Amino acid sequence: MTELESEVLPLPPRYRFRDLLLGDQSFQSDDRVQVEFYVNENTFKERLKLFFIKNQRSSLRIRLFNFSLKLLTCLLYIVRVLLDNPEEGIGWSHIFWVDRKLPLWAVQVSIALISFLETMLLIYLSYKGNIWEQIFRISFILEMINTVPFIITIFWPPLRNLFIPVFLNCWLAKYALENMINDLHRAIQRTQSAMFNQVLILICTLLCLVFTGTCGIQHLERAGEKLSLFKSFYFCIVTFSTVGYGDVTPKIWPSQLLVVIMICVALVVLPLQFEELVYLWMERQKSGGNYSRHRAQTEKHVVLCVSSLKIDLLMDFLNEFYAHPRLQDYYVVILCPTEMDIQVRRVLQIPLWSQRVIYLQGSALKDQDLMRAKMDNGEACFILSSRNEVDRTAADHQTILRAWAVKDFAPNCPLYVQILKPENKFHVKFADHVVCEEECKYAMLALNCVCPATSTLITLLVHTSRGQEGQESPEQWQRMYGRCSGNEVYHIRMGDSKFFMEYEGKSFTYAAFHAHKKYGVCLIGIRREENKSILLNPGPRHIMAASDTCFYINITKEENSAFIFKQEEKQKKKGFAGRGTYDGPSRLPVHSIIASMGTVAMDLQNTECRPANSSKLALPAENGSGNRRPSIAPVLELADTSSLLPCDLLSDQSEDEMTQSDEEGSAVVEYVKGYPPNSPYIGSSPTLCHLLPEKAPFCCLRLDKGCKHNSFEDAKAYGFKNKLIIVSAETAGNGLYNFIVPLRAYYRSRKELNPIVLLLDNNLDSLLQCGIIYADNLVVVDKESTMSAEEDYMADAKTIVNVQTMFRLFPSLSIITELTHPSNMRFMQFRAKDSYSLALSKLEKKERENGSNLAFMFRLPFAAGRVFSISMLDTLLYQSFVKDYMITITRLLLGLDTTPGSGYLCAMKITEDDLWIRTYGRLFQKLCSSSAEIPIGIYRTESHMFATSESQISINVEDCEDTKDVKEHWGIKTSHHRNSCSSDQSEHPLLRRKSMQWARRLSRKGNKHSSKTAEWISQQRLSLYRRSERQELSELVKNRMKHLGLPTTGYDEMNDHQNTLSYVLINPPPDTRLELNDIVYLIRSDPLAHVANDGHSRKSSCSNKLGPCNPETRDETQL
């Protein structure tokens, strides 16, 4: 060991760290040799090759010089021809000998020497072992023909007048020009060089053919009639254009032979050039070329990045994007890696789109393609995911990479990104606007269970429409539904608004009610100037300021509205002060809205605010028990602390006590308010929810299997007091978190929390075991494994058939589902021989022909909120380009985000006790004055008989059970319509004569009498078939229930609700009549907004206005 240590020598000074820091003199004084490294061999040949060939700038200069020399030789040949004066007579000597002046000869010889030396040098530099390959090149042969004879004349003077075909240098000039253009494009990195090169080659080929023919024929005719250079040029043009006048023709055989040769060459060369040009043109059409830099700097454009462009996606984007007037001058550049299909190509050839839409085939991950799209000059970039992919995570990964690439290339370009799965959202958090498909999908499915048709409400709000759909229909519900569908969300600064300016300093609810009363607009939220958060219905405590931004629902924005004040109506109102504002029978809406090309005229009747002590608001002695109907309290300008919030939302303790007393002998589930302890993915919004005090064991989550904690094996054994919500999904993904949170949010009343059952095995036994008999809603989530199909529209096939099966087995069950393609919604609850569905199909086609973006809105499943397509929410992303607040408002309405002080969406059902309110405007006043809630729409259900003839209906009714009761009901209530019947609508369907006539008119063809008889017979057979089929299905379900040991009593109570139709009215006019079982959409203020300040005043607020805290005693705001 010691020997090894003794052999180790100490480090030299240059390797000591101390010496390196302090500086060692011996290290600094060492002799060092500088070594230079070369990329190429440092030889004379390599240096010449670098200068003449490899270096782009120097080689470009050499080629430009060579091109100039060739053009100069051609010009000198023309000068020689013009100076030449051949002797009269015919002789072959004129072909071989010419008159060349001495100065001209000297110049030509000099140019020939330079060209010869340059050619030899390039041959030497490009020599790679095969000299014959260089010698037999056409360019080398032409160079030798045009240069060697001139060099020989230097040494042999008698040959100075020898004819040399110098005009052939035009082909060398063409070759030099091609190389020069290639170098130029390589230097400036032009991507369109192939197309430009081919056009240039074609033009140069034509010029060379004409110039060669002109010079050749002129020279050969020296031995004949001696044509001038111009006449020879004239002959070539006439010949090559196939005109052939015949006034100038070659006379001797050499010139005639040259013409034949030139024509043959043209017939071979020109078609090949044209073929190459057409091929490159087609390739350019596929790739799309470039977006002009000049246009990008002078015009505005947006870029749409997609992985595959389908016609539905394209038309939805174009229709929604160009629906806004200020976007008409924008260009749309589509960047897609796939080739444009035939349908998209045809659409983009329409003059409406061909001038504004540019298709580029390329990838967003290539800077070259982003440069082609001029992404750095774009106003926005929309990046959409492909929802038809089997692996949706992989589709999100592609979207994320595109977003990163665009952000890296153009950091100042606003990004609008669509993500499919919520766990991938945080990767694109830097984007200006992000829409997550699964978040919105599950939230809409959840809200459809507690607020019917929320999906229809949101879809209609985010679509641009003029409210003209269905206005030509004889059906009243279609006209009203179509007119109200034109309502959208707009914004305006309060100080600049005629709608809201006069309410400065007033409470929010006061401004909302009176703006709706006077102008028919629905104020739903505000945004403070100092705070960027949007608050939906901040409540009566919020005092309106001139700097507030108001968000309202209306048929069009205020800037496009004309205000017409009717003085006659004012005087009439003053003369009949005793009558109510909303009195009178059903008539046209007072605040009628006439939409025409984005301009609205509003008829304003009473612009004066009614005083608070008006006679019609006086409280009767016994709450309307006399001749006078109950009155409604006025909406106060400033908040009254004694009547701000509904007490049942805040008094959780009273709820618990009430629940304990109401439920005798049944287990009561206790809840605590808090935030979910575990977030399923990064980026989920924290929401205050109802939680269990302790986490349930995993074994207790299985409903069909007992465990050591309980022995329940089906839903009946659990004894749930509320109806179930069953979710049929393929897997329990992270998106289900957004389904559960809105249903368990803190603002939901504890007594209204529905049990949620997750069904992963979709068969009849599993459906029965999970308690489908006791469920109000069945949510069917689109299966990801079936989203990809050979035919795109078949992606929904499995979901549609499964839903149809469950609809036939359980007809009274509310089945809610989501489809990939909106056009497939017509197959939901499909009835093949239903004439009313056929009439609706024809109406949809008619609306589509009229250019409507909402042609599918009249389909009954969509109107009723039973089905929606998440692709409809693509318009939400498009609208955010103009309305940057739309995503925020939509997320607040869906409960995905919660902002302190912001309200939430809920629903209220109109009962018989509420019909004294009579109109929507009076309901608006009642809600604003009592509970500070803002209604935004109505979900209406009407009884309807989908039949074609009255005789058939009467016979069908006679064939049913309980014939006598049905006949009595029919005889009494024939004149009524909509929901003026009793609650058991399905057992006693009401008939509407107009509906039957309209359906009969649209569906009947041929002879009226014969078709009516045949249709009557077919309907009778169908009725018997349906009854027998229904019995078979009922027996099948009952047998399975008995086999599983389940009681069949619940299934016997199920009825078929196919004789009702439902639809949504967004912001209806104030004098719209309320009807029984109407469901009113409300934006209720945040119950926790003022809890800290008003904890001591809850008891007084409950007793002052609304009576006892028991929710059963509340009249108009009972859920």
Side-chain angles (χ1 to χ4, degrees), residues 291 299-302 321-322 324-333 355-357 378-380 881:
Y291 182 66
E299 304 288 347
K300 295 180 178 180
H301 77 283
V302 298
F321 185 80
Y322 285 113
H324 301 277
R326 75 180 185 90
L327 301 181
Q328 297 302 313
D329 296 331
Y330 277 66
Y331 286 87
V332 173
V333 179
Q355 303 299 325
R356 297 190 287 183
V357 182
E379 298 294 321
F881 181 65

Side-chain angles (χ1 to χ4, degrees), residues 275-530:
E275 181 185 4
E276 187 69 20
L277 181 63
V278 171
Y279 173 76
L280 290 176
W281 175 260
M282 294 176 63
E283 289 297 320
R284 183 191 174 188
Q285 289 297 105
K286 293 178 182 179
S287 62
N290 280 349
Y291 182 66
S292 169
R293 171 67 67 179
H294 174 72
R295 180 183 292 177
Q297 294 175 350
T298 57
E299 304 288 347
K300 295 180 178 180
H301 77 283
V302 298
V303 182
L304 175 65
C305 295
V306 291
S307 58
S308 61
L309 186 63
K310 302 299 180 183
I311 186 64
D312 294 337
L313 174 65
L314 175 64
M315 294 312 301
D316 288 343
F317 178 83
L318 295 180
N319 290 330
E320 188 62 38
F321 185 80
Y322 285 113
H324 301 277
R326 75 180 185 90
L327 301 181
Q328 297 302 313
D329 296 331
Y330 277 66
Y331 286 87
V332 173
V333 179
I334 302 173
L335 186 60
C336 181
T338 60
E339 184 180 341
M340 191 186 338
D341 62 12
I342 298 177
Q343 289 183 324
V344 174
R345 188 184 302 276
R346 289 175 180 173
V347 168
L348 296 185
Q349 289 174 351
I350 299 175
L352 178 63
W353 308 122
S354 61
Q355 303 299 325
R356 297 190 287 183
V357 182
I358 300 169
Y359 186 93
L360 303 181
Q361 183 177 352
S363 172
L365 271 63
K366 294 182 179 179
D367 286 354
Q368 187 178 8
D369 292 332
L370 294 178
M371 190 181 301
R372 289 170 54 205
K374 304 300 181 291
M375 185 69 74
D376 50 344
N377 293 334
E379 298 294 321
C381 176
F382 296 90
I383 302 178
L384 305 183
S385 297
S386 177
R387 58 169 53 91
N388 295 326
E389 295 288 339
V390 179
D391 190 353
R392 296 165 71 85
T393 303
D396 274 350
H397 293 168
Q398 298 175 14
T399 302
I400 292 168
L401 286 184
R402 290 191 183 98
W404 289 354
V406 172
K407 194 65 176 178
D408 178 72
F409 181 83
N412 297 324
C413 181
L415 275 179
Y416 297 77
V417 182
Q418 178 195 63
I419 286 291
L420 301 179
K421 301 185 79 65
E423 56 265 27
N424 298 320
K425 191 173 64 171
F426 79 100
H427 289 294
V428 291
K429 191 178 180 180
F430 57 85
D432 298 81
H433 299 277
V434 180
V435 172
C436 181
E437 179 179 296
E438 283 199 5
E439 277 188 343
C440 297
K441 176 177 74 173
Y442 280 103
M444 290 173 71
L445 290 172
L447 282 184
N448 274 355
C449 299
V450 292
C451 300
T454 302
S455 58
T456 304
L457 173 72
I458 298 297
T459 301
L460 296 180
L461 278 179
V462 301
H463 270 77
T464 300
S465 171
R466 295 178 298 166
Q468 296 296 309
E469 286 81 4
Q471 297 308 299
E472 299 179 359
S473 171
E475 288 281 306
Q476 181 181 0
W477 76 270
Q478 293 173 358
R479 294 195 301 270
M480 181 178 294
Y481 173 51
R483 184 171 64 249
C484 292
S485 68
N487 285 278
E488 297 179 48
V489 181
Y490 299 98
H491 75 291
I492 193 171
R493 187 176 179 272
M494 183 178 177
D496 304 331
S497 172
K498 183 172 289 188
F499 286 159
F500 312 111
M501 184 190 304
E502 57 186 297
Y503 307 119
E504 182 179 357
K506 307 294 194 303
S507 66
F508 177 85
T509 51
Y510 181 87
F513 166 67
H514 285 278
H516 185 266
K517 177 181 176 182
K518 292 176 62 175
Y519 303 104
V521 300
C522 180
L523 179 64
I524 62 172
I526 58 94
R527 180 173 58 198
R528 286 289 195 190
E529 185 178 16
E530 65 276 4

Side-chain angles (χ1 to χ4, degrees), residues 893-908:
L893 289 175
L894 294 177
L896 291 172
D897 291 338
T898 54
T899 303
S902 178
Y904 60 94
L905 183 66
C906 61
M908 178 193 76

Side-chain angles (χ1 to χ4, degrees), residues 84 149 184 271 423 428 564 803 824 836 1026:
D84 188 15
L184 180 63
E423 56 265 27
V428 291
I564 305 172
V803 170
N824 288 335
Y836 196 78
R1026 282 181 176 174

